[in-house]
Amino acid sequence: MKDIKKAILRGIPSEIPAKRTLNKNISHAPKRKDILNKEEKQLAIRNALRYFPEHMHAVLAPEFAEELKTYGRIYMYRFMPDYEIKARHMEDFPHNSKQAAAIQMMLSNNLDAAIAQHPEELITYGGNGAVFQNWAQYLLCMQYLAEMNDEQTLVLYSGHPMGLFPSHKDAPRVVVTNGMMIPNYSKADDWEKFNALGVTQYGQMTAGSFMYIGPQGIVHGTTITVLNAARKIDPKAEDLSGKIFITAGLGGMSGAQPKAAVIAKGVCIVAEVNPRATYKRHEQGWVDEVYKDLDELLDRAIEARTKKEAVSIAYDGNIVDLWERVVDRNIYIEIGSDQTSLHNPWAGGYYPVGMSYEAANEMMANNPEQFKKEVQKTLVRHTNAINTLSKRGMYFFDYGNAFLLEASRAGANILNEKGDFKYSSYVQDIMGPMCFDYGFGPFRWVCASNDAKDLAITDKIACEVLEEIMLNCPADIKLQMSDNINWIKAAGENKMVVGSQARILYADAQGRIKIAEAFNNAIASGELSAPVVLGRDHHDVSGTDSPYRETSNIYDGSQFTADMAIQNVIGDSFRGATWVSIHNGGGVGWGEVINGGFGLLLDGTADADRRLKSMLFWDVNNGISRRSWARNKEANFAIKRAMQMNPNLKVTMPNTADDSLIESLDL
Ligand SMILES: NC(=O)c1ccc[n+]([C@@H]2O[C@H](COP(=O)([O-])OP(=O)(O)OC[C@H]3O[C@@H](n4cnc5c(N)ncnc54)[C@H](O)[C@@H]3O)[C@@H](O)[C@H]2O)c1
C-alpha cells in the first residue's frame, strides 16, 4: 500500500518510465477513425506533450505519433501505473481530504480491469465511455486528489485536470464536465475529431462521473422494467409470473434480460445469434437453458408458463426465426421487446436472418452493401411478425435500442396512420409514467470501507427504512416500494457485486433522504465501519434530458431542451454534493443527450446530514416539477406531495386547457 500511495503522490514521473506492453488478455478499444489532417495531427501531439517536461519530448513525440497512427488516439500507454487500479478502503488512498479519498476510490473502480470494458484505454463501458482521455490525466488527477484539502475544488475539463482552485468546505471537491460542446459542433464526427485532438471526451452516463458500479445497475433497471410491463398489460399482476417475455440479445446490457425476468418470476425467451455470447451467459448462470430446436424451446416455455415457473431460455439463433415460428404455431405471447444493438445496424449490431453468424460477418466485411440490404429485409420480416403477434394481443415495447427508428428506415410497416411509431418506448410507457414522474429512480451507494459486511448492514438499514415508509405511503407508489423491498432483500443472494461494495435500488425523494439519513446515523454510531458514498445513475428523474429516452414522455415540446439537466447539476453543486458532473452523450449518442449526476460522501457528521437533506430533495424534485409543468399527471401528484412535506417548496403548477376549445380554434 505504501508503494501505491507513493506512486499516486508522485503524479507524472519526472523521468521517463519504461515502455509498457499492452495486456493481450483484456479487451482493447477498436482503432478509431483517422480523422485529423496533418496540421491537426501536429496539434494533437503538441497538446499531448503539454503534460511532460521538455527533456522527454524527443522520446515521446514519435511515440505519440505512432499511437495516433495505430489507434487513432494518444493514450500515453507508457504512463500506465504498474499497481493494480481498483476500489480499496478509502483510507488506503493518500489524502488530506476524506471527500477526495472517496473520489479516488470511486474513479479507481471505474478503471478496474475486472469492470472496465477497455481498461488500458480508460474506457469503462459503452465502447467510448471514458474516465480520462489519457494516462497523464489519470496520474495528475489522482495526485491532485491526494494533495487537496477541503477548501479547494478540482476542476476537470473532459478528463483534463485544470487544477485546484480555492473554494470552501461546502463546495464540491470536484466539478466534472465531459463533452460540453458549442451546439453546432456536437455531431458524431466532432467527437472523433476533438477527442483525437485531446480536448474533449465522451463521458457516457457514469463512466466520466466515477459512478459506474458494474452490471448490477442494469439488472435492477431491467427487473423494474419487466415488472412494470407486466402490470401495464394486467392491472391484477404483481409480477411477471405466468407470462412469457420474448426478446433478443445476450450481450453487454441485453444479457441482463433473462436474469431480470427470472427475478421478476416470469418466463423469458431470448434469442442470441452469437453462440459465444449465448454460452457465456449460460456458463455465468444468467440464462438457465439453451435450445437450438425452436419447437422444443417453445414447448418448454409453454409448460413453464402453465406451471408459473420462473425460467430463462435462450434460443441459439436469430430472433426473426423465433418470432416467425411463434406466429406459425399461433402461440399467445404476453410481452415482446428487442435489445439487439440497432443503434449500430451496419457494423455488427444486428444480424440478418437466413445465414450463419460467420457468414454474416464475412458479408459485413467483404460486401457491406449487400449486408445492409439483408439487414433491412430482416427488419421488415421482424416487424411483420411483431405486428401479427401484437394484433393477437402481445404488448411490444422498444427498449431504447433504436429498433423502431431502424425498422422505419428499412421501410417496415411500423408507422400508424398519423405517421407515429406503432409502439412506444420503455420510458414513454413504463419508466416515465410509472417511476420517474413519481421521483423513483436509480439511487445507489458504495461502502467506502470496501467491506462486504458494511454492504450487508446498509442493505438491512435500507430495507427497514423502505418497509417503514411503505406502512403509510399512498397507494399509487406501493408497488414501486414493494418491488424495491423485495429487491434489497434478495440483493445479497443474487450476488451482483463486482468491484466496489455497491448497491442500487429505486427510491423517491423521501426514500432516498431517509435511507441516506439512516446511513449517516449508522456511521456516526459506529454500526458502519466507514463512510458511504451516495450517487445515482444519470438515467434518472432529473439528471437527463434525452428526447427519445429519459424525457420521451414529456409532450409539451420541451423534450428537446436541456435546462433540467443543467439546472440539476448547478443546484446539486451548491446544496452539498461532494462532486458533480455534466455530460454530452450517453447511451443514445453524442449531441443527442445532456446528462448529469453527483456523488455525496456521508461521513456521519451533522454537515453531511444537512447536505444530504438539502441536495437530495432538490435532486429529485427538480425533475418532478418539470415533468409536472409538462402536464404529466403522476408528476403533478408527486410534486403536490413534496410541497406538503416541505413548505419552502413552491412550484408553478400548470393549468389544463380544454381540448374542445383548442380544437375549435381556427389555426
Ligand atoms: N438494457 C437497457 O436498459 C438499455 C437501455 C437503453 C438502451 N439499450 C440498448 O440495448 C442495445 C443492446 O445493448 P448491449 O450492451 O446488450 O449490446 P451488445 O451489442 O453487447 O448486445 C446485442 C446482442 O444482440 C445480438 N444480436 C444482434 N442481432 C441479432 C439477431 N438478429 N438475432 C439475435 N441476436 C442478435 C448480438 O449478437 C449481441 O450479442 C443497445 O442498443 C443499447 O443502447 C439498453
Side-chain angles (χ1 to χ4, degrees), residues 452-473:
K453 283 195 228 92
D454 269 356
L455 186 62
I457 295 169
T458 58
D459 283 348
K460 190 169 143 281
I461 294 174
C463 185
E464 285 164 6
V465 169
L466 293 182
E467 283 179 327
E468 162 102 40
I469 297 176
M470 186 153 158
L471 293 176
N472 296 309
C473 77

Side-chain angles (χ1 to χ4, degrees), residues 609-623:
D609 185 69
R610 172 175 53 81
R611 290 184 189 127
L612 78 87
K613 286 177 181 152
S614 168
M615 205 217 74
L616 292 174
F617 189 78
W618 157 256
D619 187 66
V620 179
N621 283 306
N622 167 41

Side-chain angles (χ1 to χ4, degrees), residues 126 218 221-222 225 247-257 270-275 277-278 281 315 317-320 338-344 348-353 357 378 382 399-402 426 539 549 587-588:
I218 197 72
T222 313
T225 306
T247 181
L250 286 172
M253 288 201 273
S254 50
Q257 296 177 104
V270 195
E272 169 55 64
V273 76
N274 176 357
T278 309
R281 290 302 186 189
Y315 171 52
N318 198 294
I319 181 66
V320 176
D338 189 83
Q339 261 198 59
T340 56
S341 273
L342 269 164
H343 69 271
N344 176 27
Y350 184 83
Y351 281 81
V353 68
Y357 182 66
T378 304
H382 196 154
Y399 215 141
N401 64 338
Y426 75 118
H539 178 65
R549 231 168 75 174
V588 291

Side-chain angles (χ1 to χ4, degrees), residues 38 54 61 97 143 150 183 211 250 261 291 299 301 386 408 424 458 492 620 634:
K38 188 169 174 212
E54 239 181 281
S97 153
Q143 184 187 33
D150 282 341
M211 203 33 89
L250 286 172
Y291 292 80
D299 292 344
I386 283 166
S408 70
S424 298
T458 58
V620 179
E634 294 81 3

